[in-house]
Amino acid sequence: MSYQFLITLKESDPLIWRRIAVPTDYTLYKLHMAIQGAFGWENSHLFQFSQTGFMDKICYGYPGDDIDPEVTTIDARKTKVSRIFKKEGQTYCYIYDFGDEWDHQIIFEKTLAEDLNAPYCIDGKGACPPEDVGGLSGYYQMVKILNKKSHPEKAEYIQWLGLVDGEKWDAELCSIRETNKRLLLLAK
């Protein structure tokens, strides 16, 4: 069996989302890694799972990485997904990069009959914003600049993103094939 989740980047417009399936024996840490792979994040910042966000007094992540001494952080590497997600339609919060604050909503959609050895992306929409772009406002500012014919910061963004001459950033792009290639690497 496996679990199917819909994960959306909150407040993105148009909505950036992924629908993934993960093995039922996954820990929250492995779910974190699956979300990283599904969205194209680089796992270079802290993360946390919690019921509603930063204001929660209990979260799951790496103990010792607390941003608030009044928050209890439970080890995500030792917490099974099944301990948190018990019924279809249940929601949870996943925050990646406490500076840019990429706030995701996770919806537990259903349990699937198929057994998986690795996470799998079923569907998705929208390009993942690049790391360290400054949150959603920075991302939309970048997209706006890249879509202009000329702008003083355009060449810098093109170089930073590693785009080749004439290549454009496609904010709508979500290649399920490329996403699943990244996710397959998690099984190795």
Side-chain angles (χ1 to χ4, degrees):
M1 294 197 340
S2 55
Y3 296 132
Q4 180 176 304
F5 296 101
L6 174 64
I7 304 160
T8 59
L9 187 54
K10 291 182 184 176
E11 299 182 22
S12 57
D13 184 21
L15 198 61
I16 300 168
W17 59 274
R18 304 292 184 269
R19 177 169 284 119
I20 65 170
V22 301
T24 55
D25 66 346
Y26 257 34
T27 62
L28 286 177
Y29 175 76
K30 286 184 175 181
L31 179 60
H32 152 72
M33 292 303 295
I35 295 169
Q36 291 288 298
F39 277 85
W41 298 121
E42 297 173 7
N43 194 31
S44 57
H45 298 282
L46 297 175
F47 73 94
Q48 79 170 36
F49 291 91
S50 61
Q51 210 160 18
T52 61
F54 277 136
M55 302 307 291
D56 292 357
K57 296 298 179 195
I58 296 175
C59 70
Y60 299 86
Y62 291 126
D65 285 342
D66 303 330
I67 57 170
D68 182 341
E70 294 183 23
V71 173
T72 301
T73 302
I74 299 169
D75 195 338
R77 297 167 295 189
K78 296 178 180 176
T79 307
K80 295 279 188 188
V81 168
S82 59
R83 180 175 169 209
I84 303 301
F85 295 97
K86 299 191 183 287
K87 62 181 181 176
E88 293 179 5
Q90 181 182 351
T91 62
Y92 222 70
C93 181
Y94 167 76
I95 299 173
Y96 172 63
D97 184 348
F98 299 164
D100 280 359
E101 197 175 328
W102 300 110
D103 193 357
H104 304 74
Q105 179 184 54
I106 302 172
I107 300 172
F108 175 40
E109 290 189 312
K110 61 185 170 181
T111 302
L112 303 170
E114 64 188 293
D115 287 326
L116 296 176
N117 295 323
Y120 181 77
C121 185
I122 300 163
D123 200 3
K125 182 133 180 143
C128 180
E131 299 275 357
D132 302 319
V133 74
L136 279 173
S137 62
Y139 175 60
Y140 290 127
Q141 179 67 20
M142 179 197 83
V143 170
K144 187 176 176 182
I145 289 169
L146 288 172
N147 285 330
K148 290 183 182 268
K149 191 164 188 105
S150 119
H151 189 280
E153 296 175 54
K154 186 171 182 172
E156 186 179 329
Y157 277 121
I158 289 170
Q159 181 180 18
W160 181 56
L161 292 168
L163 300 174
V164 295
D165 195 31
E167 185 180 11
K168 295 187 185 293
W169 176 266
D170 185 353
E172 298 294 317
L173 181 67
C174 174
S175 170
I176 302 303
R177 183 174 157 276
E178 290 301 315
T179 299
N180 280 318
K181 283 171 57 175
R182 281 193 306 271
L183 290 174
L184 197 58
L185 295 173
L186 295 175
K188 294 183 179 186

